[in-house]
Amino acid sequence: MIGPSGRKGENKMPEITISMAEGRTDEQKAGMMRDITQALVKNLGVDADAVVIQINEAPLRHKMKGGKTFVERAAAAKK
């Protein structure tokens, strides 16, 4: 994207926040963030240095789906 002054990506600092359950490795999270960064560079025309990504992780006991915590769901799946 070209801004009013003709500079690519001007005033276009995308900030992405990802909320997810804990349990993935640092390598998995870094790979995901690199892929998201490249998608924003490709699709929004911003520089990679303009992209900010933050991961908010929650303990499995603090996330719930279908009325059961992720800990309860994992225990039920083992039965």
Side-chain angles (χ1 to χ4, degrees), residues 19-75:
S19 298
M20 61 189 209
E22 68 182 1
R24 280 129 179 137
T25 67
D26 288 343
E27 292 80 16
Q28 288 173 315
K29 291 180 276 190
M32 176 188 65
M33 290 187 286
R34 278 191 288 277
D35 289 348
I36 292 169
T37 298
Q38 289 308 306
L40 295 172
V41 168
K42 175 184 173 187
N43 293 290
L44 301 183
V46 297
D47 293 328
D49 284 342
V51 178
V52 177
I53 300 174
Q54 175 177 319
I55 297 174
N56 295 329
E57 291 183 283
L60 298 178
R61 66 187 180 281
H62 293 173
K63 285 190 77 81
M64 183 174 280
K65 181 178 178 182
K68 294 181 181 176
T69 67
F70 278 51
V71 171
E72 293 167 333
R73 294 172 69 83

